[in-house]
C-alpha cells in the first residue's frame, strides 16, 4: 500500500463507554466508605501529629486527606442518577416525538429497585444502633469529647422527626437522621427528583429550554425567596440532577463528537471546576460549579476506550458499581458500631490506620453479603446505547 493509499482514521470516538459508569459508581461508593472510615476509625490529623511516626506514615496520612471530598462524590452520584433515569426516555424521545412516559411503570420500577434494599438498611441501622447504644453508648450519646463528632451525632436519633420521614423514604428531611445512618439524606433528594420527573418531562415536550431553564429558575427561587430548609436545598441541587439528564440527551441523540481536543478541553474544565469548589462562592455559583464538575466527569468516563473494561481493576470497580447502592446505604451504621467500640474498649480511636483499613474491608464484606441476600434480586437490566 502506498503512502497515498493509507486510510485516514477518524478522530471521532464511535463507542460510548457506559460500562465504565458502573465502575465510576463503584469507585465513588468506596471513596465515601473510605472517607467515613478515616473519620470514625482514626484519631485524625491533629491527634496523630502528637505521636512519633515514620516518614512513610506521614506520606500516607497526607495522602489520606484526599478522602475529604465525600460531598463532591455524592454530587457526582446525583448527576449519574439524572443521567440513567433520563437515558432510556431520551433514546425514545429521539426516535419518536410522540413518546409518552408510562408513569405507573416508571414508579413501579423505581420502587422495585430501591425499596427492598432500603428497608434492609433501616433494619440494619436499627439493630446495630440499639445494640451499640446499650453496649457502647459514648459515641451514640455524643459524649466522646470530639467536638465535630459529637455535634454530628446530636442529629442522629430515633424520634418522630427522624423515623417518620424515613418510613416515607425521605430520611433526614426534618433535620434528624434515622439513627446513625446520616448518608441516607441524599436518597431523600433522589426520591423528590423521581417524583418531579414526570412533571418535568411534560415541560420537556415543549423543548429543552423550557425544561432545563425551569429547573434553574426553580433553584434560583428557592435560594432567593425561601428560608434555608430541606425543601430549599432539594430545589437548589435540582440543576445538578438535571445536568445528568442533559448529558443523557446529548449522548443518546449523538449531538456530541468526542475528539482528542474535546477530551483535553473537558479535562481542563474538570480541573477548573474542582479548584473552584475550594473558593468561597455564593450558593448559586457553587451549584453551577458542581453541575459542571459532575457532568464533565460523566462525559469523560463515557469517552474512555472500551478496551479499558477488560482491565482487572476496572472489572473490580464495575462489580462494586453494581453493589454500590447497598454499599452506600448500609456502610455507615457498621462503621459507627466499630467506632463506638473503640471509644469504650480502646478509650478512643487509634493513631494508626490499620483499624480504618481493616474496618473498611470488613464493612465492604458485610455490604457484599447484604447485596447477595437482598439487592441482587431487584437489579434491572443494564442500559446500552447503540453506536
Amino acid at each position: 500500500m502506498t503512502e497515498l493509499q493509507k486510510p485516514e482514521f477518524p478522530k471521532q470516538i464511535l463507542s460510548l463507554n457506559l460500562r465504565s459508569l458502573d465502575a465510576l459508581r463503584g469507585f465513588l461508593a468506596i471513596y465515601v466508605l473510605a472517607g467515613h472510615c478515616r473519620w470514625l476509625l482514626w484519631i485524625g490529623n491533629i491527634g496523630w501529629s502528637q505521636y512519633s511516626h515514620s516518614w512513610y506514615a506521614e506520606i500516607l496520612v497526607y495522602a489520606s486527606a484526599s478522602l475529604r471530598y465525600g460531598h463532591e462524590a455524592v454530587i457526582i452520584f446525583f448527576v449519574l442518577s439524572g443521567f440513567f433515569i433520563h437515558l432510556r426516555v431520551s433514546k425514545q424521545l429521539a426516535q419518536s416525538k410522540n413518546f409518552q412516559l408510562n408513569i405507573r411503570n416508571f414508579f413501579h420500577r423505581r420502587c422495585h429497585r430501591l425499596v427492598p434494599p432500603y428497608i434492609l438498611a433501616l433494619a440494619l441501622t436499627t439493630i446495630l444502633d440499639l445494640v451499640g447504644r446499650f453496649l457502647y453508648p459514648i459515641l451514640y450519646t455524643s459524649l466522646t469529647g470530639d467536638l465535630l463528632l459529637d455535634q454530628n451525632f446530636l442529629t442522629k436519633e430515633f424520634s418522630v422527626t427522624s423515623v417518620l420521614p424515613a418510613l416515607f423514604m425521605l430520611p433526614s428531611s426534618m433535620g434528624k437522621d434515622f439513627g446513625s445512618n446520616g448518608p441516607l439524606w441524599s436518597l431523600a433528594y433522589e426520591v423528590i427528583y423521581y417524583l418531579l420527573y414526570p412533571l418535568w418531562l411534560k415541560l420537556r415536550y415543549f423543548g429543552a429550554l423550557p425544561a432545563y431553564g425551569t429547573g434553574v429558575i426553580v433553584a434560583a427561587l428557592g435560594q432567593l425567596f425561601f428560608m434555608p430548609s430541606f425543601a430549599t436545598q432539594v430545589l437548589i441541587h435540582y440543576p445538578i440532577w438535571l445536568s445528568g439528564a442533559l448529558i443523557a440527551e446529548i449522548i443518546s441523540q449523538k449531538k456530541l463528537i468526542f475528539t482528542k481536543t474535546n477530551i483535553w478541553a473537558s479535562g481542563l474544565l474538570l480541573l477548573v471546576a474542582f479548584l473552584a469548589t475550594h473558593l468561597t462562592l455564593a450558593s448559586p455559583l457553587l451549584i453551577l460549579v458542581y453541575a459542571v464538575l459532575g457532568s464533565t466527569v460523566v462525559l469523560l468516563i463515557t469517552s474512555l476506550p472500551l478496551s479499558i473494561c477488560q482491565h482487572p481493576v476496572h472489572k473490580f470497580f464495575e462489580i462494586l458499581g453494581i453493589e454500590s447502592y447497598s454499599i452506600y446505604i448500609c456502610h455507615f451504621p457498621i462503621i459507627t458500631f466499630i467506632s463506638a467500640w473503640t471509644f469504650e474498649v480502646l478509650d478512643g480511636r487509634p493513631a494508626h490506620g490499620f483499624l480504618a483499613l481493616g474496618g473498611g474491608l470488613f464493612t465492604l464484606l458485610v455490604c457484599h453479603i447484604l447485596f447477595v441476600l437482598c439487592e441482587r434480586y431487584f437489579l434491572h437490566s443494564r442500559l446500552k446505547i447503540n453506536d
Side-chain angles (χ1 to χ4, degrees):
M1 180 178 291
T2 66
E3 187 71 23
L4 294 176
Q5 292 175 314
K6 286 184 178 180
E8 182 180 350
F9 293 99
K11 295 181 180 179
Q12 180 179 352
I13 298 175
L14 297 177
S15 297
L16 293 166
N17 188 350
L18 298 184
R19 282 182 59 186
S20 288
L21 292 182
D22 272 333
L24 174 62
R25 285 201 283 203
F27 173 80
L28 293 174
I30 293 300
Y31 182 90
V32 172
L33 184 153
H36 288 150
C37 285
R38 179 181 184 269
W39 177 41
L40 290 171
L41 302 180
W42 180 59
I43 196 172
N45 188 56
I46 296 178
W48 173 84
S49 62
Q50 298 175 5
Y51 294 87
S52 59
H53 47 268
S54 58
W55 62 269
Y56 60 84
E58 190 165 346
I59 294 176
L60 293 174
V61 165
Y62 282 109
S64 72
S66 62
L67 297 173
R68 295 179 299 173
Y69 302 101
H71 185 72
E72 285 76 7
V74 175
I75 291 299
I76 299 175
F77 270 128
F78 282 160
V79 177
L80 284 170
S81 174
F83 176 86
F84 279 109
I85 290 297
H86 194 52
L87 182 59
R88 185 189 303 272
V89 174
S90 62
K91 287 179 62 180
Q92 294 168 325
L93 281 174
Q95 297 168 359
S96 173
K97 300 300 181 182
N98 297 321
F99 167 78
Q100 295 292 325
L101 177 70
N102 186 324
I103 298 178
R104 180 178 179 180
N105 181 60
F106 171 75
F107 284 118
H108 177 267
R109 285 177 59 85
R110 289 294 84 209
C111 290
H112 178 269
R113 177 70 182 89
L114 299 178
V115 172
Y118 176 74
I119 293 175
L120 179 62
L122 294 186
L124 174 73
T125 304
T126 302
I127 294 172
L128 288 181
D129 282 13
L130 291 180
V131 174
R133 285 174 181 272
F134 178 75
L135 296 177
Y136 317 119
I138 291 179
L139 176 61
Y140 293 98
T141 53
S142 303
L143 296 175
T144 66
D146 184 301
L147 181 61
L148 178 61
L149 203 59
D150 289 343
Q151 285 180 340
N152 189 277
F153 271 79
L154 282 175
T155 64
K156 302 181 184 303
E157 60 182 40
F158 292 104
S159 63
V160 174
T161 54
S162 65
V163 174
L164 189 60
L167 295 178
F168 289 91
M169 293 196 74
L170 294 173
S172 306
S173 60
M174 296 182 69
K176 299 293 184 180
D177 298 329
F178 181 85
S180 65
N181 209 335
L184 290 180
W185 70 267
S186 63
L187 187 61
Y189 285 49
E190 299 272 10
V191 168
I192 298 296
Y193 300 150
Y194 297 154
L195 293 173
L196 291 175
Y197 182 67
L199 180 61
W200 176 84
L201 201 56
K202 294 291 185 181
L203 288 174
R204 182 61 189 85
Y205 293 135
F206 293 99
L209 184 59
Y212 293 103
T214 299
V216 174
I217 292 172
V218 166
L221 292 176
Q223 173 69 24
L224 295 174
F225 297 106
F226 295 96
M227 296 293 292
S229 65
F230 167 75
T232 57
Q233 287 302 307
V234 170
L235 294 177
I236 290 171
H237 284 77
Y238 193 35
I240 297 174
W241 194 87
L242 288 180
S243 70
L246 179 60
I247 297 302
E249 288 199 27
I250 292 174
I251 288 179
S252 63
Q253 297 177 23
K254 297 179 173 59
K255 292 182 178 180
L256 179 67
I257 297 177
F258 287 108
T259 65
K260 290 183 178 180
T261 301
N262 289 344
I263 292 173
W264 279 106
S266 298
L268 179 60
L269 181 62
L270 175 61
L271 177 61
V272 172
F274 175 73
L275 293 176
T277 61
H278 293 72
L279 301 176
T280 304
L281 300 174
S283 184
L285 289 177
L286 185 59
I287 294 302
L288 176 61
V289 169
Y290 279 143
V292 172
L293 176 72
S295 57
T296 306
V297 168
V298 172
L299 279 175
L300 285 174
I301 294 300
T302 57
S303 69
L304 292 175
L306 292 175
S307 58
I308 198 174
C309 299
Q310 302 306 315
H311 196 281
V313 174
H314 186 284
K315 291 181 178 180
F316 172 73
F317 281 111
E318 193 174 351
I319 292 172
L320 291 180
I322 303 299
E323 303 183 11
S324 60
Y325 181 49
S326 287
I327 295 172
Y328 185 79
I329 64 175
C330 293
H331 77 278
F332 201 83
I334 302 172
I335 299 173
T336 297
F337 187 87
I338 301 173
S339 180
W341 171 80
T342 68
F343 281 103
E344 295 283 350
V345 178
L346 304 181
D347 198 28
R349 295 163 294 178
H352 61 73
F354 295 111
L355 181 63
L357 177 61
L361 293 175
F362 173 76
T363 301
L364 187 60
L365 175 61
V366 174
C367 290
H368 171 69
I369 294 172
L370 295 174
F371 169 83
V372 171
L373 292 176
C374 181
E375 187 187 356
R376 72 182 178 120
Y377 296 106
F378 302 95
L379 296 175
H380 295 162
S381 59
R382 313 308 299 158
L383 291 170
K384 294 181 180 180
I385 295 284
N386 296 323
D387 294 332

